[in-house]
């Protein structure tokens, strides 16, 4: 399975606006509901966890901190699958304090983690940071946008076989390309990334993955559009195409995760989708749906652990800030 990443983003204000509009009694009833599939619970130091990925070599889940100044933590499963796990912080970068740690990808070939970082409330700073997976030493920090008049929000990241990183901009509607050494080399722009009507662009390009055949797949959250981008050679911006998706809407889709070269999980709320293609992602079909029932917790990313799909939920609840990863069965 190729590496994939995660992502997705509303602002903290939007999240709590949504939650504050839900009657307390209804929230309590949702919290008391028990998903029909396996649930991994963990206690955390923060209320917002943007992305979770299974690290097969490290035998742990890695999670990104959307609040508390950002950072990366780990969850190490125990022999008892029903144990409540404890989050352990691995890195908090003082140079990135005040920003949100968002989608990330494990670049196993180079033993590093690539993390998208953004200014959650102001949308005035975006960066890509790389860390060594063993020592958590910072390898590079690439500023993508800072104090610009143009708003931006680095949301998610994919990596190709050569180590080039592709970072989605959820507010500016573009994709930054950063080479293996951390140099910003190109920005992919396309009029397709800005669909008609302002409300379709409140959250723009989000989850992004790299296909081993040499193209990206990225979702536009508020429109539900799925794009294919050939990055093999030439003018990349002219190679953006809209994938013709049938069988259901992908509106409010967030993180993406490959199950195979022909199957992608689109994590999102109120339900996550399984999407399949038989023609190299020229067209695709929605073939499965799953909802944990925890719609108030907001699904943001997906990961695969030993063939089982788990969905990360952004919002934690309670004095111990309990978070959940819920197995999705399509």
């Amino acid at each position: 399975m190729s590496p994939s990443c995660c992502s997705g983003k509303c602002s903290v204000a939007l999240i709590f606006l949504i939650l504050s509009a839900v009657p307390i009694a209804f929230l309590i009833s949702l919290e008391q509901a028990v998903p029909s599939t396996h649930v991994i619970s963990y206690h955390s130091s923060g209320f917002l966890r943007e992305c979770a990925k299974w690290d097969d070599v490290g035998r742990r889940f890695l999670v990104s901190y959307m609040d508390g100044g950002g950072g990366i933590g780990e969850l190490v499963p125990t022999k008892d699958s029903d144990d409540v796990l404890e989050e352990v912080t691995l890195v908090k970068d003082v140079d990135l304090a005040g920003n949100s740690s968002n989608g990330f990808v494990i670049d196993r070939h180079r033993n590093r983690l690539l993390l998208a970082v953004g200014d959650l409330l102001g949308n005035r700073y975006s960066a890509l940071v790389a860390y060594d997976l063993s020592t958590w030493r910072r390898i590079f920090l690439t500023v993508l946008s800072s104090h610009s008049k143009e708003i931006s929000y680095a949301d998610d990241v994919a990596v190709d076989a050569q180590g080039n990183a592709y970072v989605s901009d959820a507010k500016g509607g573009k994709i930054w390309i950063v080479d293996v050494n951390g140099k910003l080399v190109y920005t992919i722009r396309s009029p397709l990334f800005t669909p008609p009507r302002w409300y379709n662009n409140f959250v723009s390009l989000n989850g992004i993955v790299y296909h081993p055949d040499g193209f990206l797949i990225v979702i536009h959250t508020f429109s539900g559009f799925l794009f294919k981008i050939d990055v093999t050679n030439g003018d990349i911006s002219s190679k953006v195409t809209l994938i013709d998706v049938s069988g259901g809407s992908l509106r409010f889709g967030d993180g993406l995760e490959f199950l195979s070269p022909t199957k992608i999980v689109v994590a999102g709320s109120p339900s996550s989708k399984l999407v399949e293609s038989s023609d190299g992602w020229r067209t695709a079909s929605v073939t499965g749906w799953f909802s944990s029932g925890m719609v108030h917790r907001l699904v943001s990313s997906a990961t695969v652990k030993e063939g089982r799909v788990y969905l990360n939920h952004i919002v934690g609840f309670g004095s111990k800030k309990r978070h959940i990863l819920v197995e999705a069965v399509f």
Side-chain angles (χ1 to χ4, degrees):
M1 180 182 301
S2 65
S4 58
C5 19
C6 38
S7 71
K9 322 332 146 183
C10 304
S11 69
V12 170
L14 178 60
I15 290 171
F16 285 105
L17 177 63
I18 293 171
L19 294 178
S20 64
V22 180
I24 296 300
F26 183 59
L27 275 178
I28 292 173
S29 68
L30 289 173
E31 273 298 288
Q32 291 176 338
V34 179
S36 59
T37 56
H38 182 227
V39 177
I40 298 171
S41 300
Y42 67 96
H43 294 149
S44 171
S45 60
F47 284 107
L48 304 177
R49 293 295 176 259
E50 169 56 26
C51 183
K53 292 295 173 184
W54 173 247
D55 174 11
D56 189 55
V57 173
R59 309 304 299 168
R60 59 189 174 178
F61 288 98
L62 298 173
V63 296
S64 60
Y65 298 2
M66 200 174 188
D67 58 353
I72 296 289
E74 71 173 2
L75 315 169
V76 179
T78 63
K79 292 182 179 180
D80 186 343
S81 63
D82 294 326
D83 282 349
V84 178
L85 306 181
E86 296 294 331
E87 174 189 272
V88 176
T89 297
L90 297 171
V91 61
K92 286 184 75 70
D93 199 323
V94 294
D95 292 331
L96 296 171
N99 293 290
S100 169
S101 294
N102 300 321
F104 63 87
V105 60
I106 295 172
D107 183 3
R108 178 53 58 196
H109 182 67
R110 296 164 189 85
N111 194 45
R112 63 181 187 170
L113 178 143
L114 298 167
L115 171 67
V117 176
D119 171 13
L120 184 61
L121 297 179
N123 302 145
R124 297 297 180 186
Y125 180 86
S126 290
L128 177 70
V129 60
Y131 297 107
D132 184 284
L133 275 169
S134 300
T135 65
W136 295 101
R137 175 183 63 87
R138 191 171 74 194
I139 301 170
F140 66 74
L141 170 61
T142 303
V143 176
L144 305 171
S145 177
S146 179
H147 305 295
S148 170
K149 292 182 180 180
E150 181 184 33
I151 63 171
S152 71
Y153 187 64
D155 188 286
D156 200 8
V157 56
V159 65
D160 66 19
Q162 289 72 46
N164 299 303
Y166 305 87
V167 184
S168 61
D169 181 355
K171 297 303 291 186
K174 58 184 177 291
I175 298 170
W176 294 284
I177 303 180
V178 178
D179 73 12
V180 66
N181 297 312
K183 180 182 178 181
L184 176 61
V185 294
Y186 192 77
T187 302
I188 305 173
R189 301 177 187 269
S190 171
L192 293 176
F193 293 159
T194 310
R197 302 182 182 87
W198 67 268
Y199 52 81
N200 280 328
N201 295 288
F202 185 73
V203 179
S204 178
L205 300 182
N206 201 326
I208 187 169
V209 288
Y210 176 79
H211 192 283
D213 288 344
F215 56 86
L216 303 169
I217 295 178
V218 62
I219 192 163
H220 189 286
T221 290
F222 266 46
S223 69
F225 291 160
L226 200 63
F227 297 107
K228 174 182 176 180
I229 307 163
D230 184 352
V231 293
T232 52
N233 52 58
D235 182 4
I236 297 174
S237 295
S238 68
K239 297 184 177 181
V240 178
T241 57
L242 178 64
I243 300 172
D244 183 9
V245 179
S246 61
S249 171
L250 299 181
R251 190 180 292 271
F252 305 126
D254 197 328
L256 302 181
E257 177 83 2
F258 272 120
L259 278 179
S260 75
T262 62
K263 296 180 180 179
I264 282 180
V265 174
V266 179
S269 297
S271 65
S272 297
K273 315 279 195 335
L274 178 64
V275 182
E276 301 187 45
S277 176
S278 59
D279 60 4
W281 295 96
R282 184 180 63 82
T283 65
S285 300
V286 178
T287 59
W289 294 259
F290 177 82
S291 175
S292 66
M294 300 288 182
V295 293
H296 60 301
R297 285 181 175 261
L298 301 176
V299 173
S300 60
S301 70
T303 190
V304 178
K305 177 183 183 289
E306 296 160 354
R308 301 166 74 175
V309 177
Y310 285 90
L311 301 175
N312 178 69
H313 293 62
I314 293 178
V315 183
F317 281 90
S319 60
K320 294 186 176 181
K321 305 175 184 67
R322 175 177 168 269
H323 288 263
I324 57 173
L325 306 174
V326 178
E327 182 184 7
V329 178
F330 297 98

